[in-house]
Amino acid sequence: MRLPSIRRSRRVPLSGRPRSPRRRAGRRLRAPGAALLAAALTVAGLAAAGPLVAPATAAPSGTTATAGDVTGLTRSGNTFTVTASSGAKARVVVARADIFRLWLSPDGTFTDDPAGSDLAVTTDFGSVPVNHTDAGAYHRISTGSLAIRVYKSPLRFAVYRADDTTPVWQETRPTSWTGGRTTQYLARGANEQFYGTGLRLGEWALRDKSVPIAVDNKWRENDNASPAPFYMSTNGYGVMRNTWAPGSYGFNAPTTLTHDEKRFDAWYFTGDSLKSVLDAYTDVSGKPFMAPMWGFELGNADCFNASNPEYQGDHARPRHQTTPDVVGYAADARAADMPSGWFLPNDGYGCGYTAPLKSTVDALRAKGFQTGLWTSTGLGSIADEVAAAGSRGVKTDVAWIGSGYKYAFDGVQQAVDGIEKNSDARRFVWTVDGWAGTQRNAVVWTGDTHGTWDDMRWHVPAITGAGLSGLNYAAGDIDGIFGGSPQTYTRDLQWKAFTPAFMTMSGWGATNPSAGYHDKQPWRFAEPYLSINRKYLQLKMRLMPYLYTMSRVAHETGVPSTRAMVLEYPDDPVARSNATSGQFMAGDSLLVAPVVSDTTVRDGIHLPAGTWTDYWTGRTYQGPGRLDGYRAPLDTLPLFVKGGGIVPMWPQMNHTGEKPPRGFNSAGRARDRGMPVGSDGCAPRPSRPVALPGLRGPS
C-alpha cells in the first residue's frame, strides 16, 4: 500500500467530505459522536464495536426490583443454576477452587453476554472438585478454597473461607435493579480497605470514597483516566464485573457497586494476599504484556511535520518542518550523552508524517532509536508502516477511541495486531481510556495534564495505584503537556525513571517559559537541569536488568513493578492506607519517595520494618518508622534499598545494545552486579542503623 505523502490519519467519512478535526483544550479532540467514529473505524478497518455507552448518570426512573426467594437449584457439572420466585435466575460457575463467576439474570435467560470472552479470556482451568450441600437457610457450594452461600429467603450471596465460618464478603440485601441499573450491596468490615478501579487519578486506598467507573476524558484529580470494573479488598478477594457498561463504586457502609445495565455478571477471585488476588484476576483477564526492552527507555512524542497545512500547531517551529527533522533531535540526544530509546515523530492533530517513512525510521534506528506513530482516527496504513517502513509502536488517542469501553478496547487490539502480525516485534501500544484486560495489551497514561507541583502530587498515587488493578505499565507525560518549568520537569523525571515506561510530549507545552527551559526534551535544558536529567536517565539505564526483571514478574504473576507499599507490607497499618500514597516500591527492593513540592527537604517518608540503606549516602535506617527532614536538593531523589534486596545492574549505556551487558571483566572479577553509589563505582559501606520514631498513623 502506498504511504500517504502528507497525513497518515486523514480519513473521509461516508458523506465523501473530509473532516476538519476540532481541538480539545488546545490539543486533543473532544470525543466524536457515534456516527463519525463508526465511519472513521469502518474506513480504518476496525469492526464495529457495538453501541457507544455514555457515562453513568442519575438513576433511571422505575420500580426497584429484586429476585425474590429461591425456589430451586440445579447442577450441571460445576455450573449451579438458581431459580427465584420473580422469574429471575442466577448462575454460579466454579472455574477453579479460588475463582467463580456469578451471573444474575432478571429475565431468567443467559443469552445477554455483551463482554463475551473479551474481558475473561481464560476460564477453563481443568476439573475442580466441588461439593453442594443444602444447609437449610442456604445452599452451600464449596471447593478446597472457599464456600459460597446461596441464601434462600430472600436470594442473597456470601462467600466464606473453606472453613465456612470466616467471611470473605457477604451481601447485606439482595442485588436490585431498575430499568437500566443494577446494584450490589456488601457489608464492609471494620478495618477493610479497598484498592483498584483502574488508573484512578489520585489516592489508591479507597475506603470511604466513591469512584466513577466511567470514561470522561477530563484527566484531573479524582477522575479515572482508564477505569477498570475491578477492585480488591484486604479481606482477601477481588471482583471483575464482566461488562462494558459504566458504573460507580461506593466503598462505604454498605459498599454499593453499580453498573448501568439490567444484569449482574462478575468474576470473583479469592486469595491469602493481595498479590495472590492479582495473580488470580490476571489468570482470567490476562497477564500484563511484556514490553520490548527499548520500551523501558525514555520516549519522546512531538510533531516533526509542522509544515503540513493541516497541522493545528505552530507551522513555523524550527527543526520541526518535515518528519526527517526528528533525526536532528536524535543526534542532539546522543551528543548530550543522554539515554533515550524511541521517538513518536507525528504527535499532533493534522501532523501526519512525510513520506517515505522508512528512511526516517532507518536513520533513527542507526542512532539506537525505535519509531512509534500516533493515530487520530484509525490504523488503515499500519501494515505498511510496520512491515515496510519498520515502525514498532502505536499511540492511540481520544480523537479516535475517546468513546472508550469496547470501542477503545478493540482499537487497542487492532494496534497490537498491526504490530505483531506484520513483524516479529512485541506489542508496544500507548492508550487512553483502558478497561479491565487492557493490561495485556497497552501502556495507559494519565491524559492531558499540567506541569505543576499539584499535578505531580496526585500523579504519584495514580501511577502507583494503577498497579493495584494489574496495570504494570502506567505513565503520565513528564511535566505534563501544558505549562511546566525546569524545576517541575526535573523532579517529575526523577521519580518516573523508576517506573517501567515513561514519555515526554514536547509540542504542546510552553515555549521558553523561564530561563533554561526550551521544550520537554531532557537534553534541551540549561544547567543544572541538564546534568540532573542525565543522571537519572543514566541510572534508569543501569537499572534496566532490575526493572525488566520486575516487569517479567508482573507478566508471570500480575504483581506490578511499581508497587503500592501495601503490596509488599500488607500487615503494616501505615502501608495499607493513603499515608503512604506519596511513595512506592520500585520492584521488591527499592523504596522511592518523590519530592512533589518546591522544597529541598522531604518529610513523612515511611520506612516499614527492616533495614533501609540510603542509596546515595549509605546511611542505614531501622524501620518501622517515619523519616522527616530528609535533605533532598534538586539533584537528589529520596531512594532507599531494602536490606537483603538484590538489584542487578549493567554497564552505563544510552540505549539497549550499545554495549554488551557482560557480568565479568577481563580479570574474571564480577562487575556491575550491585549498586555503584560511591565515586569509586562501589556501594558505600552501610552505617550503623539509625533508629526512627515509632509508627505514626495518618494525621
Side-chain angles (χ1 to χ4, degrees), residues 15-253:
S15 66
R17 298 184 58 189
R19 297 195 311 273
S20 297
R22 294 173 295 155
R23 296 177 66 187
R24 182 187 189 280
R27 178 172 181 267
R28 293 194 175 114
L29 294 176
R30 297 184 184 275
L36 289 181
L37 276 172
L41 290 181
T42 300
V43 175
L46 180 64
L52 303 181
V53 186
T57 55
S61 60
T63 304
T64 299
T66 63
D69 295 339
V70 173
T71 58
L73 182 147
T74 61
R75 176 178 183 176
S76 176
N78 286 348
T79 297
F80 298 82
T81 301
V82 182
T83 56
S85 56
S86 68
K89 291 184 180 180
R91 273 186 180 172
V92 177
V93 182
V94 180
R96 204 169 72 182
D98 57 338
I99 298 173
F100 70 93
R101 181 183 186 181
L102 174 58
W103 187 354
L104 175 62
S105 171
D107 65 6
T109 67
F110 296 96
T111 56
D112 180 18
D113 187 7
S117 60
D118 288 330
L119 308 184
V121 292
T122 303
T123 59
D124 185 357
F125 297 96
S127 61
V128 187
V130 182
N131 294 316
H132 166 244
T133 304
D134 188 334
Y138 59 87
H139 293 277
R140 180 170 54 242
I141 302 167
S142 57
T143 72
S145 298
L146 53 83
I148 305 164
R149 293 186 181 182
V150 184
Y151 288 98
K152 298 179 180 179
S153 184
L155 172 62
R156 291 176 295 115
F157 293 89
V159 172
Y160 284 71
R161 297 293 177 185
D163 60 11
D164 198 31
T165 59
T166 306
V168 177
W169 61 263
Q170 50 191 327
E171 294 179 338
T172 59
R173 53 185 280 198
T175 294
S176 65
W177 56 86
T178 60
R181 177 168 294 184
T182 302
T183 303
Q184 183 188 41
Y185 309 86
L186 298 184
R188 189 182 74 174
N191 298 305
E192 188 176 7
Q193 188 57 270
F194 305 89
Y195 315 104
T197 74
L199 176 55
R200 179 182 183 275
L201 305 186
E203 295 177 326
W204 42 254
L206 304 179
R207 184 181 174 93
D208 294 324
K209 296 183 185 296
S210 293
V211 181
I213 312 300
V215 172
D216 64 13
N217 294 322
K218 292 179 179 178
W219 307 306
R220 303 308 300 152
E221 186 174 11
N222 295 321
D223 290 324
N224 210 326
S226 282
F230 167 81
Y231 75 91
M232 58 181 177
S233 158
T234 50
N235 276 9
Y237 79 94
V239 55
M240 176 184 75
R241 290 284 279 268
N242 197 45
T243 182
W244 295 114
S248 178
Y249 296 169
F251 296 104
N252 305 300

Side-chain angles (χ1 to χ4, degrees), residues 225 321 514 548 659:
Q321 290 300 292
S514 58
Y548 189 85
K659 299 175 184 177

Side-chain angles (χ1 to χ4, degrees), residues 278-433:
L278 281 175
D279 195 13
Y281 164 57
T282 53
D283 279 346
V284 170
S285 64
K287 298 298 183 186
F289 76 100
M290 192 67 212
M293 192 164 288
W294 57 266
F296 290 75
E297 301 170 20
L298 180 69
N300 304 276
D302 202 348
C303 175
F304 285 90
N305 195 30
S307 62
N308 181 2
E310 296 190 41
Y311 176 50
Q312 295 185 9
D314 178 6
H315 290 281
R317 289 189 72 195
R319 304 181 66 201
H320 290 73
Q321 290 300 292
T322 61
T323 304
D325 287 350
V326 69
V327 182
Y329 264 57
D332 290 349
R334 297 300 179 236
D337 194 26
M338 193 74 70
S340 187
W342 54 282
F343 275 98
L344 193 138
N346 69 321
D347 188 57
Y349 287 90
C351 182
Y353 56 70
T354 307
L357 179 63
K358 186 177 188 304
S359 57
T360 300
V361 172
D362 290 346
L364 287 175
R365 189 169 290 159
K367 296 183 181 301
F369 290 91
Q370 296 289 337
T371 303
L373 294 173
W374 174 88
T375 180
S376 64
T377 57
L379 299 167
S381 300
I382 193 168
D384 281 344
E385 291 161 354
V386 173
S391 67
R392 289 293 182 265
V394 171
K395 180 171 81 71
T396 68
D397 214 331
V398 294
W400 172 26
I401 63 160
S403 58
Y405 309 103
K406 181 171 172 58
Y407 206 86
F409 196 88
D410 286 351
V412 169
Q413 184 63 58
Q414 187 189 5
V416 167
D417 292 343
I419 295 170
E420 295 190 344
K421 291 183 178 180
N422 293 288
S423 72
D424 61 356
R426 292 179 184 171
R427 64 196 67 184
F428 193 65
V429 178
W430 283 60
T431 193
V432 289
D433 299 335

